[in-house]
Amino acid sequence: MSIIHDFEYCKPTTLDEVTDLLSQHGEKAKILAGGTDLVVQMKENIKMPDTVIDIKGIKNLHEILFEDNTLFIGACVTFRELIESEIIKKYFPLIKEMSQTVASMGIRNRATIVGNICSAVPSADSAPVLLVYDADIIAKSASGERIIPITEWFTGPKETALRADELVTGIEIRLTDTKHAGRYEKLGRYSGEDLAQAGVCILVFEDLHYNVAFCAVGPVPKRVFSVEKLLHGKVISDVLIEEAKHLLQEEISPITDIRATNEYRAHMMGVMFERGLKKAVSRLHGGVNA
Amino acid sequence: MPEIHFILNHEKRVINVEFHETLLEVLREKLGVKSPKCGCDRGDCGACNVLLNGQSVRSCLILAVEVDGQEIVTVEGISKHGLTKVQEAMIDNNAFQCGFCAPGIIISATELLNNNQHPTIEEIKEALSGNLCRCTGYLPILDAVFKVSKE
Ligand code: FES
Ligand code: FES
C-alpha cells in the first residue's frame, strides 16, 4: 500500500523552526521521528498531514542525559539506544527491561519512547514504567515550554494532553533517593509481537510504599492509586496480595479483541500483578537498585 | 522532486524521489534492488528489512527522503563478494521453502552476528522474532544461524 496523498517534508535543525511550522500548520502538521506509527497511519489514510516535520535533524533531541539526579530522554531516542545506554542500565533498569519487550529488533532500532507515548495506544509499553517513575513530559510551542506530569498525559485512547501547536522534546525523570526496585510484566502471545495484551509495572520502595500502573486493560494506561494506598506501609503477605488483586479488578476494564478476551486479560492481570510484585520485592532485597 | 544522496550497497547513489515514496518502493521500483520484499507493508513481517547505518530497519516504514545522507545495505550488498557464512548455512540446512522471508531474515541474522559472533539460541530467536515465515516453522532457520554461531 502506498501513501496516496501528497505532503511537504521538512527536516529542520532547530526547535524554533519546528514550533514555527507547528503554529502555521497546527493539526495539519505531523512530527516524524521513528515513523513506525506515523508511516502506517499515512498509508491507511488515518493521518493525512500536509506537512511532515522530521525532527531527527535536531541534535539534542537524540540525547540521553543524567544531571542533578534527573534523567532526560530526548524525543528522537530509540528503544535500541535506551537498551544500550549505560545511564539507563545503571539508574533506571526498569526502562531497559521494558524496552527489551517492545516489538522486535527492526522496530526497536527505529521506534522512540516519546513516539510511543505520543501515539498513546492503550497498550503502550512505555506508559506503565513512566507512570511508576512519575515522569514529566516536556512540551514546547512557539509561546514557550510546559511540563505535563505523566499522570495527566493520557486523556483517552490515542489521545494526549499535547496541543496541536506543541511538540514533545523529551521526558524527564527524577531519581528518588529512596532505595527501590521494580518489575514490568507484559503479556504477549510471542516475543516479537508489538502489542501488550496486558501489562503491569510495579515499583517498590524501601520505606514500604508502592507505585503500580497498568496498560492494555483500560482505555488509557494509568496508576492504580487504590492498590497503592492499600499496600502503603505494609509488608507484602499472601493475604495482602489477594486483597490487592481484588481491588485491582475494580480498576481495570479490559476489552475483548482479536488478541484476547476480557476475562482472560482480567485473570492474567491478577497473576501478573502477583508475579511482578513478588519479583520487585525480591529484587529490592537482593540489593539491586530496581 | 527532491534529490537524495545516499550510499546503497557501498556505492554512492543520487536519485529523485517523491516525499510520499517509501524506501521499499524506491529500492524495488526505481533502483531495481529486489531483495527486500513487500509482505505486510505495515511493519509486522520483516520481509522488507534492510540495514540502515548497520541496523536492521523496516524499509516499508521509512520515507525514502529520510535516508538522504545515510547508508543502506541490502542482501545484494551483503553478498557482493560471494555468499556469507550465514547464507551458506541457510543453503546447507535447506532453511527456506518459498524463500520470500529469506532476505529479511538474512538481514536480521547478519545484524545479530555483526554485533555478537556467538549468540545463544535464545538470542537468535529474539533477533529473528520480528521476521515471519509462512513455510518452515522456523527451526531450520534458527539451526542454520546457530551453526554459524558455534563456528
Ligand atoms: S513489508 Fe515491511 S514489515 Fe512487512
Ligand atoms: S520460506 Fe516461505 S515464507 Fe519463509
Side-chain angles (χ1 to χ4, degrees), chain A residues 5-284:
Chain A
H5 65 279
D6 277 322
F7 54 84
E8 281 300 312
Y9 165 93
C10 33
K11 192 173 179 182
T13 50
T14 65
L15 276 176
D16 287 343
E17 290 168 77
V18 180
T19 50
D20 277 352
L21 284 163
L22 285 173
S23 36
Q24 279 164 40
H25 298 270
E27 283 288 351
K28 294 233 174 287
K30 287 286 169 263
I31 300 285
L32 171 68
T36 51
D37 284 326
L38 182 63
V39 174
V40 177
Q41 289 167 336
M42 292 200 297
K43 285 180 180 183
E44 294 176 351
N45 291 337
I46 296 169
K47 287 197 178 138
M48 295 194 274
D50 64 17
T51 306
V52 168
I53 310 170
D54 185 348
I55 55 171
K56 291 190 289 296
I58 301 168
K59 265 222 176 76
N60 47 355
L61 298 188
H62 291 267
E63 284 173 340
I64 302 174
L65 298 172
F66 188 63
E67 283 167 4
D68 302 329
N69 261 341
T70 303
L71 173 74
F72 170 80
I73 303 172
C76 294
V77 172
T78 63
F79 286 107
R80 161 77 175 260
E81 287 162 345
L82 290 173
I83 292 168
E84 290 183 347
S85 156
E86 285 302 319
I87 292 175
I88 297 293
K89 193 169 131 192
K90 187 161 174 208
Y91 299 107
F92 299 92
L94 210 44
I95 294 181
K96 177 174 176 176
E97 177 166 312
M98 174 278 294
S99 300
Q100 285 168 322
T101 75
V102 176
S104 58
M105 199 66 175
I107 298 290
R108 292 195 294 266
N109 281 342
R110 203 74 186 154
T112 63
I113 187 168
V114 167
N116 192 234
I117 58 158
C118 286
S119 296
V121 292
S123 61
D125 283 302
S126 320
V129 177
L130 295 176
L131 280 160
V132 298
Y133 276 135
D134 275 319
D136 283 326
I137 316 300
I138 308 164
K140 196 172 162 53
S141 70
S143 52
E145 202 173 82
R146 70 180 173 124
I147 305 271
I148 306 167
I150 183 88
T151 43
E152 291 163 25
W153 174 256
F154 300 101
T155 54
K158 302 188 185 168
E159 276 167 26
T160 69
L162 195 71
R163 295 193 314 253
D165 66 335
E166 289 175 317
L167 87 150
V168 175
T169 53
I171 298 171
E172 264 181 14
I173 304 175
R174 245 194 103 67
L175 183 66
T176 113
D177 300 332
T178 317
K179 189 179 161 196
H180 61 279
R183 170 74 183 171
Y184 176 54
E185 290 280 345
K186 171 175 177 173
L187 180 67
R189 282 173 304 180
Y190 56 89
S191 108
E193 186 191 21
D194 50 345
L195 299 176
Q197 294 167 30
V200 60
C201 191
I202 296 140
L203 203 57
V204 180
F205 297 82
E206 199 178 30
D207 61 0
L208 293 182
H209 80 271
Y210 303 81
N211 291 355
V212 182
F214 64 71
C215 68
V217 284
V220 294
K222 67 172 192 183
R223 282 279 286 273
V224 210
F225 293 115
S226 62
V227 172
E228 293 180 6
K229 219 171 120 195
L230 173 74
L231 299 178
H232 190 90
K234 299 184 189 126
V235 176
I236 298 303
S237 68
D238 287 345
V239 183
L240 187 61
I241 289 178
E242 281 316 309
E243 233 180 296
K245 277 160 81 171
H246 198 75
L247 207 52
L248 184 65
Q249 293 299 332
E250 284 166 25
E251 296 277 349
I252 62 177
S253 48
I255 54 161
T256 294
D257 67 6
I258 192 167
R259 292 183 184 81
T261 61
N262 67 356
E263 291 89 349
Y264 180 64
R265 284 191 160 105
H267 175 74
M268 285 311 291
M269 267 309 272
V271 175
M272 290 159 56
F273 168 74
E274 175 167 356
R275 253 186 226 158
L277 183 58
K278 286 181 172 165
K279 182 97 189 177
V281 170
S282 92
R283 281 178 174 174
L284 182 71

Side-chain angles (χ1 to χ4, degrees), chain B residues 43-88:
Chain B
D44 291 331
C45 75
C48 66
N49 272 8
V50 300
L51 295 175
L52 166 63
N53 303 332
Q55 298 188 350
S56 65
V57 295
R58 313 296 211 210
S59 63
C60 70
L61 294 186
I62 294 179
L63 301 176
V65 14
E66 287 181 80
V67 306
D68 184 40
Q70 316 292 314
E71 176 170 14
I72 298 292
V73 176
T74 66
V75 168
E76 286 85 345
I78 285 178
S79 45
K80 207 163 203 165
H81 307 293
L83 297 180
T84 60
K85 278 187 192 166
V86 71
Q87 287 178 300
E88 297 276 11

Side-chain angles (χ1 to χ4, degrees), chain B residues 96-101 132-136:
Chain B
F96 300 110
Q97 289 179 30
C98 78
F100 194 83
C101 66
L132 302 185
C133 172
R134 294 300 300 271
C135 305
T136 65

Side-chain angles (χ1 to χ4, degrees), chain B residues 12-140:
Chain B
K12 281 190 185 161
R13 304 298 290 254
V14 181
I15 186 162
N16 291 312
V17 299
E18 305 272 5
F19 288 141
H20 61 77
E21 283 177 311
T22 62
L23 176 59
L24 179 62
E25 288 168 328
V26 168
L27 287 174
R28 287 186 58 87
E29 310 308 331
K30 286 193 163 163
L31 292 164
V33 176
K34 299 283 189 182
S35 74
K37 303 281 182 277
C38 183
C40 63
D41 213 11
R42 58 194 316 282
D44 291 331
C45 75
C48 66
N49 272 8
V50 300
L51 295 175
L52 166 63
N53 303 332
Q55 298 188 350
S56 65
V57 295
R58 313 296 211 210
S59 63
C60 70
L61 294 186
I62 294 179
L63 301 176
V65 14
E66 287 181 80
V67 306
D68 184 40
Q70 316 292 314
E71 176 170 14
I72 298 292
V73 176
T74 66
V75 168
E76 286 85 345
I78 285 178
S79 45
K80 207 163 203 165
H81 307 293
L83 297 180
T84 60
K85 278 187 192 166
V86 71
Q87 287 178 300
E88 297 276 11
M90 295 289 183
I91 294 170
D92 292 345
N93 229 28
N94 268 329
F96 300 110
Q97 289 179 30
C98 78
F100 194 83
C101 66
I105 289 183
I106 301 286
I107 292 287
S108 299
T110 302
E111 181 192 26
L112 171 69
L113 292 165
N114 283 347
N115 292 323
N116 175 0
Q117 285 187 2
H118 305 291
T120 63
I121 195 79
E122 285 311 314
E123 287 168 330
I124 296 168
K125 279 188 191 166
E126 172 56 33
L128 299 188
S129 67
N131 291 88
L132 302 185
C133 172
R134 294 300 300 271
C135 305
T136 65
Y138 303 99
L139 287 180

